[in-house]
Amino acid sequence: MAVAHLVCRPLSCSKPLGNPNPAAPLLSSKPSLSFPTPSRCRSLALRVSSSAAPASVLAAEASFHHCFSKSADGYLYCEGVRVQDVMEGAERSPFYLYSKAQITRNFDAYREALEGLRSIVGYAIKANNNLKILEHLRGLGCGAVLVSGNELRLALRAGFDPTRCIFNGNGKIVEDLVLAAENGVFVNVDSEFDLENIVTAARVVGKKVPVLLRINPDVDPQVHPYVATGNKTSKFGIRNENLHWFLNAIKSYSNEIKLVGAHCHLGSTITKVDIFRDAAVLMVNYIDQIRAQGFELEYLNIGGGLGIDYYHTGTVLPAPMDLINTVRELVLSRDLTLIIEPGRSLIANTCCLVNRVTGVKTNGTKKFIVIDGSMAELIRPSLHGAYQHIELVSPSLPDAEVSTFDVVGPVCESADFLGKDRELPTPAKGAGLVVHDAGAYCMSMASTYNLKMRPPEYWVDNGSVVKIRHGETFEEFVKFFDGL
């Protein structure tokens, strides 16, 4: 087994950060609760099991900074707030817990990287559609990337500037395109029928729609095939050999649409920024060809897709600065405004799914930790075979045996697991257990399978724990059948 010694965010450990009033609940009907602020800081060491990580991502000794970290007292903290304390006052378990400050830090990394360029940071709402998170990102300066009419409606509800929003998708319907046209949203052209639908929407609204051509550059992002979007077998984008057909068609619809840019998207969890440069080189060549046909293109949209350190090994992965630096000179050389579409890299590492242990069992050959969370709340491990780091919230009992477990939920599917072959101390019944890096493609993909209601969400905001989404209830579910 490989073990990494990681240096975490400084935390105060002079005393546990417990409830200042043990007789009162930590979380009540009031919107927030203030926690004690750390009085002094020290660097802390955290041992992290990485037995399931491939050798290519292991780092024996590295610096690692995270909004969730374990203190010398053995408790897990989020920005100085003890997660165990949050559990004791939460509406129910499981629940999602975010760091608002980490969201800000992640956006600031993109803001710094883009200095000197005209740019739009379009947050991919599909990654996480919590309204309070969207309002925060909009306040920081984000635009929005949309893949449905309801995501557009939510972006407008959150106050996003529609002229800094981009509507993607390979199957956009006319009704949703009409809403985009009414609000002046950029729309990506994905196919021949998509172009026809955009023209129809423009005629309904009586407005000219700004469009970008989504070109499939056929660049292999070297990621899981389910999240690869820029190779020739993908359902997204137009084939580059059809470029001139589309340019002629767009010229014929000059009263309805205006071509303003080109777009590509390679995929998700990308860890090699050279892939972005390879795509950008192809894209600026296409832009040169399009401009030669008389079009005045301003925008290059290179999509999103940066990966994060899901294994918590401290592996050095590309940062926003690395990504932007690979394309900076190309963008400047063509006098373009750069659009990027981060989702995972803005939100994934800001959040944990917090669960309680229901019990521990064995089938004779394998041991299981059964928790109240499941594939219904967090489906990435089941759907993509994805690894997300798992650890206990509180110190284990002194005599707890360390064993290798599958961490599973109560859903009636053998696919219902959150992690396999994880080395952990045997937890007590009711102990807290977190699945890390759950901010992206987790709550937004949650379901009510087995009638598990979608969980509540909280974030830590300047020492206070604030509910940012109510948990769904059975009573709300049965209302869908009222009056039928």
Side-chain angles (χ1 to χ4, degrees), residues 291-460:
R291 283 176 168 172
Q293 296 295 316
F295 293 95
E296 297 177 358
L297 266 60
E298 179 183 351
Y299 298 94
L300 170 61
N301 185 336
I302 60 167
L306 273 186
I308 67 164
D309 182 14
Y310 278 111
Y311 288 95
H312 286 210
T313 59
T315 301
V316 178
L317 294 177
M321 185 68 76
D322 300 312
L323 166 59
I324 302 306
N325 281 344
T326 64
V327 301
R328 185 184 307 277
E329 293 307 318
L330 287 169
V331 172
L332 290 171
S333 70
R334 301 313 197 276
D335 191 26
L336 293 164
T337 297
L338 181 66
I339 301 175
I340 56 171
E341 303 178 347
R344 186 186 314 274
S345 57
L346 275 178
I347 196 70
N349 70 353
T350 70
C351 177
C352 281
L353 178 66
V354 185
N355 312 268
R356 285 193 184 274
V357 173
T358 305
V360 177
K361 64 177 290 187
T362 180
N363 63 6
T365 59
K366 186 175 275 289
K367 294 181 179 180
F368 302 91
I369 297 174
V370 184
I371 59 175
D372 53 6
S374 71
M375 65 184 292
E377 291 84 11
L378 197 161
I379 199 173
R380 289 187 71 251
S382 299
L383 182 64
H384 294 156
Y387 179 98
Q388 292 182 234
H389 187 64
I390 291 173
E391 65 179 322
L392 299 178
V393 163
S394 303
S396 56
L397 297 174
D399 59 349
E401 178 186 0
V402 176
S403 293
T404 300
F405 297 94
D406 283 5
V407 179
V408 301
V411 162
C412 193
E413 291 277 351
S414 294
D416 180 27
F417 63 91
L418 282 301
K420 290 190 172 184
D421 298 324
R422 304 303 177 89
E423 189 168 285
L424 293 163
T426 302
K429 183 177 181 179
L433 178 148
V434 299
V435 181
H436 278 285
D437 304 310
Y441 306 103
C442 293
M443 182 60 171
S444 66
M445 298 177 74
S447 73
T448 56
Y449 187 46
N450 284 197
L451 278 187
K452 289 184 103 266
M453 297 295 105
R454 278 177 279 255
E457 295 179 286
Y458 303 86
W459 65 17
V460 175

Side-chain angles (χ1 to χ4, degrees), residues 274-305:
D274 287 349
I275 293 169
F276 286 98
R277 178 169 179 82
D278 292 345
V281 168
L282 293 172
M283 294 301 295
V284 295
N285 286 333
Y286 292 134
I287 285 174
D288 290 343
Q289 294 177 40
I290 296 168
R291 283 176 168 172
Q293 296 295 316
F295 293 95
E296 297 177 358
L297 266 60
E298 179 183 351
Y299 298 94
L300 170 61
N301 185 336
I302 60 167

Side-chain angles (χ1 to χ4, degrees), residues 118-381:
R118 299 193 310 271
S119 64
I120 296 175
V121 178
Y123 168 66
I125 289 181
K126 64 179 180 175
N128 187 306
N129 54 29
N130 183 287
L131 179 61
K132 296 302 178 184
I133 291 172
L134 297 183
E135 289 173 343
H136 180 54
L137 287 168
R138 182 262 304 159
L140 293 173
C142 263
V145 173
L146 324 156
V147 291
S148 73
N150 281 339
E151 286 191 353
L152 173 52
R153 293 178 182 92
L154 189 62
L156 296 174
R157 177 78 62 90
F160 283 93
D161 178 354
T163 65
R164 292 172 60 82
C165 292
I166 303 95
F167 192 8
N168 286 339
N170 68 304
K172 301 182 287 291
I173 62 174
V174 172
E175 175 188 346
D176 294 343
L177 288 167
V178 166
L179 181 64
E182 287 174 337
N183 287 278
V185 171
F186 291 109
V187 179
N188 280 326
V189 177
D190 192 88
S191 65
E192 292 88 340
F193 69 78
D194 195 39
L195 177 61
E196 292 174 2
N197 287 342
I198 296 167
V199 170
T200 298
R203 289 172 176 170
V204 169
V205 174
K207 291 183 177 180
K208 186 178 291 189
V209 177
V211 300
L212 292 83
L213 272 177
R214 178 165 182 170
I215 300 172
N216 187 324
D218 192 18
V219 172
D220 180 8
Q222 302 175 35
V223 297
H224 190 286
Y226 287 6
V227 293
T229 59
N231 49 31
K232 63 182 178 182
T233 60
S234 171
K235 69 176 183 178
F236 299 103
I238 68 169
R239 301 198 312 273
N240 54 47
E241 59 265 31
N242 290 346
L243 176 61
H244 288 288
W245 183 93
F246 277 93
L247 294 180
N248 290 332
I250 289 169
K251 286 179 181 178
S252 70
Y253 296 124
S254 59
N255 292 328
E256 291 85 6
I257 57 178
K258 179 181 180 182
L259 181 60
V260 297
H263 170 256
C264 71
H265 195 291
L266 304 180
S268 194
T269 69
I270 295 171
T271 58
K272 298 178 181 178
V273 293
D274 287 349
I275 293 169
F276 286 98
R277 178 169 179 82
D278 292 345
V281 168
L282 293 172
M283 294 301 295
V284 295
N285 286 333
Y286 292 134
I287 285 174
D288 290 343
Q289 294 177 40
I290 296 168
R291 283 176 168 172
Q293 296 295 316
F295 293 95
E296 297 177 358
L297 266 60
E298 179 183 351
Y299 298 94
L300 170 61
N301 185 336
I302 60 167
L306 273 186
I308 67 164
D309 182 14
Y310 278 111
Y311 288 95
H312 286 210
T313 59
T315 301
V316 178
L317 294 177
M321 185 68 76
D322 300 312
L323 166 59
I324 302 306
N325 281 344
T326 64
V327 301
R328 185 184 307 277
E329 293 307 318
L330 287 169
V331 172
L332 290 171
S333 70
R334 301 313 197 276
D335 191 26
L336 293 164
T337 297
L338 181 66
I339 301 175
I340 56 171
E341 303 178 347
R344 186 186 314 274
S345 57
L346 275 178
I347 196 70
N349 70 353
T350 70
C351 177
C352 281
L353 178 66
V354 185
N355 312 268
R356 285 193 184 274
V357 173
T358 305
V360 177
K361 64 177 290 187
T362 180
N363 63 6
T365 59
K366 186 175 275 289
K367 294 181 179 180
F368 302 91
I369 297 174
V370 184
I371 59 175
D372 53 6
S374 71
M375 65 184 292
E377 291 84 11
L378 197 161
I379 199 173
R380 289 187 71 251

